[in-house]
Amino acid sequence: QVRERLKKQVVEMKEKFPGFRPGLAILQVGNRDDSNLYINMKLKAAAEIGISANHIKLPNTATEAEVLKCIASLNGDPAVHGFIVQLPLDSDKPINTEKITNAVAPEKDVDGLSSINAGKLSRGDLGDCFIPCTPKGCMELIRQTGIQVAGKRAVVVGRSKIVGAPMHDLLLWNHATVTTCHSKTSTLAEEVGKADILVVAAGKAEMVKGEWIKPGAIVIDCGINHVPDSTKASGKRVVGDVAYSTAKEKASYITPVPGGVGPMTVAMLMQSTVESAQRFLEKFQPGKWNIQYNQLTLKVPVPSDIEISQSCIPKPIDQVAKEVGLLPDEVELYGQTKAKVHLSALKRLKNQPDGKYIVVTGITPTPLGEGKSTTTVGLVQALGAHLHQNVFACVRQPSQGPTFGIKGGAAGGGYCQVIPMEEFNLHLTGDIHAITAANNLVAAAVDARIFHELTQTDQALYNRLVPSVNGVRKFSDIQIRRLQKLGINKTDPTALTKEEVNLFVRLDIDPGTITWQRVLDTNDRFLRKITIGQSPTEKGFSRMAQFDITVSSEIMAVLALSDGLDDMKKRLGRMVVASSKRGEPVTTDDLGVTGALAVLMKDAVKPNLMQTLEGTPVFVHAGPFANIAHGNSSVLADKIALKLVGKEGFVVTEAGFGADIGMEKFFNIKCRYSGLRPHVVVLVATVRALKMHGGGPAVTAGVPLPKEYMEENLQLLAKGCSNLNKQIQNARMFGVPVVVAVNAFKTDTKAELALVVQLAKEAGAFEAVECTHWAEGGKGAVALAQAVQRASQTPSNFRFLYNVELPVIDKIRLIAQQIYGASDIELLPEAQEKVSVYTKQGFGNLPICMAKTHLSLSHDPEQKGAPTGFILPIRDIRASVGAGFLYPLVGTMSTMPGLPTRPCFYDIDLDPASGEVNGLF
């Protein structure tokens, strides 16, 4: 009856919550035969009822720490609603059973063995605890007799924690008068004779005699004992603690052994698991996070970003991880406010449907920026804290160069920030430092290899590259790959001919073709051109080189576009550092450094978990440049977030610079490699930037805005909306609906904001919304969030702008004409040569990543609005083969910024007393 009832309840759960199943985990240590038998019974019962049961088996060599680690993982798994540890623990190592049972989360302890559940039972909190399965089964049997328990005299023989003691409490709180007897009870027969209800769990064969029993008593026999029996094949039979043959003559009801309490115990385990799943559903709606949001205390005027950030107490990051459905062993804590998330989470969630994918971009900005990061954070705070949707923000990690240079931090602003902002803007978890180390290892390997090849014979090089160790020479795996690339199918180092040795040891790097530079995460203009190799020990080998800023390293782009460790390692190995004198590409794999790079990057590949001011989750991962790279956060962060939010949830990511740069690359590069398809584009616009595009005076960082930006000017604004119109067209070109977020400043008038909304809709935006999130947090972006929800329900007919199989020149021309508004392109001689070289080397089918100014749709930063009819000059083309794109250079630009006259570090300080960071950021 119990099983049939449970079957129906499970079916009802599945109908109400499609895809949901109650989950039971059984943890076994060792391989005892009796334990295996009991576990098989439980697994069979679970399958019959429709419970998803998972048997976890640890070897008998498992230590207490290993068992506790496994328990912690199961405690954190939202798919596990009931969890038992099979006793006894069969381990060679000393294990404290009490410690193990108490480690099980009380809300999942369906065996009811933890001290918390036992304590609640003893206090009578029967509706808020799990009762051990055997006593619970006994009570169900007693109820089945139809006899009222209240007022009856009950005797329990035995006082174990598993049966006797909880049975006493259960009968007591069902209003029976209870006596507990045990091995020291001197008047056992007399006490048993008084019992209307007798429960025996003493572990002694047929200890209770039939003549002791009160006529008409209910007898529940929990004992399982083996006694000799020559008639049985095994030489023994199973009996209970009660002499059944004589007791049944006096009892009104009696349970047989076997076949009485045992099956009921299993049934009660199933019932507790279903009850736990029901409690879970009452508290957690499947697909909906149970998340605690932070309440903002808004102030007018709005304080500085650092003041706001430090006034908010972040939730412990392990709490955030638990709220979004990450398991404890998938989270690697870096203090209290940040953590790395293991890629195993993506593997676990691979069958989960993805949520809605939103990309935030902007119109062509002023040098001050128009608030894309602030809007990204405001949107997720609105969707999460105000509309109660599962939502994740995925943003880039900022470089320390701009943080201490002219721009300051990049955590959003006002009441829309990632916190703690000082952690976000500084070292975070060290990913950028890992990239610096990996990049510079490649640079060192390039110059060292040239030096060694210049100063050694073929045989000397070979002897050092493939040394004899204990008389044995052996190729490493990476050397085998190089031999295969050369067409030399040999694995014995002694078998190579002189010609093959020459091919193997000499990369013959042409110094004039080296494209790999050293990097540093600091703005330092004096490293833009340097001479290396001036020490006498370098024997006259010197060359011109340079330092770039770390985030411009190809390794950063590789990190951002990889979809796993294996993919990252392959991309790292494909990176081209130079060409040989024969015109062939030289890769990091040729240098033998791939494995070392993967080791340096093994932690950086894990996304970083943080939170917003209002407590919504954020992944901060990767920060590639938006000009010579694609300017988007990592594919891995997006993929994990899309699984975590579920089918009805949202992932909001940001594309660098304006829509003509970051968004175009998001679609044509990031989405091409990730396979992900966006649902909505959020295009951020400001009255300030649109007035600039209408012909307003120049906007310069650190200089007060001219009066044209402080006063209403609808004519100037309307003229500048040509840029907004073009960027809306650019987004719609990819088949994705566009919602315009008009980021309102206090100097904007109602008429100006209304005009932008009107013109955006006329230009084809799905919707345009005024936003005040900087001053109001998520509350100021609720209308935007609702518009995004509506837009996400409309069809998204996503398509790429070009086919990668097209010739390089045709792909560049398509971007220039369709996205920028150019009439044509002009390739300068160096660019023409590179097209020929890269096509010959087999890189012609890579996507295009245009490196141009972000301050204009054209190549000229002074050309505002939506210029047309211009010729786009392509100065040079370079290859990021590992990352997977070619990047044409439009005009001149530096990959190593310099410090301004008054850098941001003037305003950054540390309070020695509190250890708090103060300053602008």
Side-chain angles (χ1 to χ4, degrees), residues 761-828:
K761 290 179 180 178
E762 291 175 2
F766 175 86
E767 204 156 336
V769 182
E770 177 189 336
C771 305
T772 54
H773 46 275
W774 179 81
E776 297 183 303
K779 176 185 171 184
V782 168
L784 173 64
Q786 291 168 333
V788 167
Q789 283 182 297
R790 289 190 292 272
S792 71
Q793 302 301 321
T794 63
S796 173
N797 302 308
F798 177 72
R799 55 188 174 271
F800 297 119
L801 181 65
Y802 55 80
N803 186 325
V804 290
E805 302 296 324
L806 288 173
V808 172
I809 294 174
D810 289 355
K811 287 181 285 192
I812 297 172
R813 182 178 287 111
L814 269 171
I815 295 171
Q817 292 177 335
Q818 298 293 316
I819 301 297
Y820 305 155
S823 60
D824 205 349
I825 60 173
E826 178 189 10
L827 267 68
L828 301 183

Side-chain angles (χ1 to χ4, degrees), residues 415-437:
Y415 287 103
C416 297
Q417 297 185 48
V418 180
I419 58 169
M421 68 171 303
E422 58 270 38
E423 297 284 346
F424 177 88
N425 282 302
L426 294 175
H427 309 281
L428 198 58
T429 56
D431 294 352
I432 291 180
H433 301 318
I435 291 166
T436 302

